[in-house]
Amino acid sequence: MRTWTRKLALTTLTLLASACAQALEPRSLLLSADRVWTGEGKPHAGWAVLVVDGRVKEVGPESAIGAPPDAERVALPGKTLIPGLIDLHSHVLLHPYNETTWDDQVIKEQVEYRTLLAGKHAVDTLQAGFTTLRDLGTEGANYADVGIKRAIEGGVVAGPRLLIATRAIVATFSYGPAERSYRPDMEIPYGAQQATGVDEVTKAVREQSAHGADWIKFYADYRTGVDGTSRPTFTLEEMKAIVAASHVSGRKVAAHASTDAAIRLAVLAGADTIEHGYGASEATFRLMKERGTAYVPTLTAPEAIGEYFQKHVRGGTPTPAMVEAARAFQLARKLGVVIGNGSDVGVFTHGTNARELEWMVRLGMTPTEALRAATVVAAGILGKGKELGQLAPGALADVVAVEGDPTADITALRKVGFVMKGGKVYRRP
């Protein structure tokens, strides 16, 4: 039997076994470990988490928890229980650019292939302890994220809880694949939905919402300058129309923006989050704090791009883009801007999302601050603070166990030994 056939058979059996295990999942589980970090304060030694019907029922000293007699008891010695992690900026339909360039993924890879590959990405992400993703754009794969989300929710494939942005919105002729790179008579697929003017951007929001978008994402700037530099693409009036059409429907808005001018326009327009934000000035970050606009810094993306295309060696001298990203992150933290964890995973390998948290700590956050950015703070940005990002009675039972204590050493997140999402166990020691 060929190697790929054996691998396919093994994967199929694994998925079937996982599905059977989920079907037999007990209603009550008592999870105990060396310590429990609830999302607040310090870890508690000797605590346990009682899960009943997919939600956290009790959290506290194991001796004080009244577990039902039929509860399954899961002991995780040497580990710390934490809330399921959240990545606010992912692309499950992309894979690293050193494997296939972004243009080639959009132009040459079939949407069907990309969708199936995204299923593997989802599995890898969940196994790494990330139980919720905000996925910010299909990058030319139309509404494939709607189907991926449905497959995960229906138990067809294992994966994190997805909040999706579908196609994303860009100003007409202001995204990729860039027209200047190809013959002008070629019809090439585009990486997002193009729109011009208040009427078109409003229609795009409504179309994406009707297809299943949980969030609306727009590109406030892109590399449209004469010399290829990033420039604002939408006017303030167009951005305000995007935000207004989204907010009236109950949807929040994420703005891709790397230049100070575009970031400021997006904040003034009412965007809920700024993605990347590398070029933000102190004045703009102060405006973000004043308006309550959250910042998602995606620190790992410039590192990965540097490795692929600029001969950067991880741990070596940072590239100019990495320096700019670090400056922005440290300034935002100093000024008290709300910072949520978002990595731009897809640019780099799925399942290694925790690299972003290591960057946050490297640039000044304490491990606990970084963990909060990926749990309590991220859940608040999503508007789901009561259900996600914490181990507290009533919250969804997203529980992860890692070796050691991540509040002391953030690299403990690399050593995931147990994963539960919504009360279902997807990884055991």
Side-chain angles (χ1 to χ4, degrees), residues 90-420:
S90 70
H91 294 283
V92 296
L93 283 149
L94 290 178
H95 57 98
Y97 302 165
N98 63 332
E99 298 174 356
T100 308
T101 65
W102 185 89
D103 273 26
D104 281 356
Q105 290 184 52
V106 174
I107 295 173
K108 297 180 179 179
E109 292 184 348
Q110 302 96 326
V111 172
E112 294 83 357
Y113 169 78
R114 294 178 65 191
T115 303
L116 289 169
L117 192 59
K120 178 182 183 302
H121 298 159
V123 171
D124 292 344
T125 302
L126 184 61
Q127 288 293 303
F130 284 80
T131 56
T132 300
L133 297 182
R134 184 181 61 156
D135 201 70
L136 289 183
T138 60
E139 307 292 344
N142 302 317
Y143 291 101
D145 57 349
V146 178
I148 296 164
K149 176 182 176 180
R150 179 180 177 184
I152 291 171
E153 290 180 344
V156 177
V157 296
R161 185 178 296 102
L162 291 186
L163 299 169
I164 58 175
T166 66
R167 298 173 65 190
I169 302 170
V170 294
T172 306
F173 300 122
S174 297
Y175 194 47
E179 285 76 13
R180 67 169 65 91
S181 301
Y182 300 92
R183 284 171 41 180
D185 60 332
M186 288 181 64
E187 290 282 343
I188 57 176
Y190 220 58
Q193 184 171 358
Q194 303 183 67
T196 291
V198 168
D199 289 347
E200 286 190 8
V201 298
T202 300
K203 181 179 179 181
V205 169
R206 291 173 178 166
E207 179 182 329
Q208 293 185 12
S209 300
H211 279 83
D214 302 302
W215 276 70
I216 298 298
K217 179 189 179 182
F218 74 93
Y219 282 73
D221 59 14
Y222 208 67
R223 297 184 291 273
T224 58
V226 174
D227 56 355
T229 55
S230 290
R231 301 284 298 176
T233 51
F234 286 115
T235 65
L236 179 59
E237 289 71 26
E238 289 171 320
M239 293 186 195
K240 284 184 174 179
I242 291 171
V243 173
S246 302
H247 283 181
V248 77
S249 73
R251 290 170 174 82
K252 291 187 176 185
V253 178
H256 164 112
S258 59
T259 62
D260 189 55
I263 297 164
R264 190 171 187 84
L265 287 172
V267 174
L268 290 172
D272 298 282
T273 66
I274 297 296
E275 312 301 310
H276 315 303
Y278 306 136
S281 64
E282 180 171 337
T284 297
F285 274 132
R286 289 189 184 278
L287 180 65
M288 288 176 63
K289 182 180 179 183
E290 177 188 319
R291 296 291 185 96
T293 311
Y295 177 41
V296 182
T298 63
L299 300 166
T300 313
E303 178 188 52
I305 296 298
E307 290 174 350
Y308 303 155
F309 306 117
Q310 297 159 8
K311 298 182 180 179
H312 172 69
V313 177
R314 199 176 303 182
T317 303
T319 65
M322 292 167 65
V323 171
E324 187 180 38
R327 177 208 62 85
F329 174 80
Q330 290 170 328
L331 180 57
R333 179 171 176 265
K334 175 184 174 182
L335 296 175
V337 177
V338 174
I339 299 176
N341 172 62
S343 67
D344 213 357
V345 68
V347 174
F348 61 99
T349 304
H350 293 275
T352 66
N353 309 57
R355 285 173 61 180
E356 185 74 14
L357 297 171
E358 293 179 20
W359 262 114
M360 288 180 165
V361 172
R362 199 174 298 138
L363 294 177
M365 275 189 172
T366 66
T368 299
E369 281 182 279
L371 284 169
R372 284 178 54 81
T375 53
V376 178
V377 175
I381 290 170
L382 294 175
K384 297 184 177 295
K386 293 183 178 179
E387 293 208 315
L388 301 176
Q390 60 177 323
L391 300 180
L396 288 170
D398 289 7
V399 189
V400 171
V402 298
E403 196 74 31
D405 180 0
T407 67
D409 179 4
I410 198 67
T411 64
L413 297 180
R414 300 179 189 178
K415 303 170 185 176
V416 175
F418 176 88
V419 177
M420 169 184 282

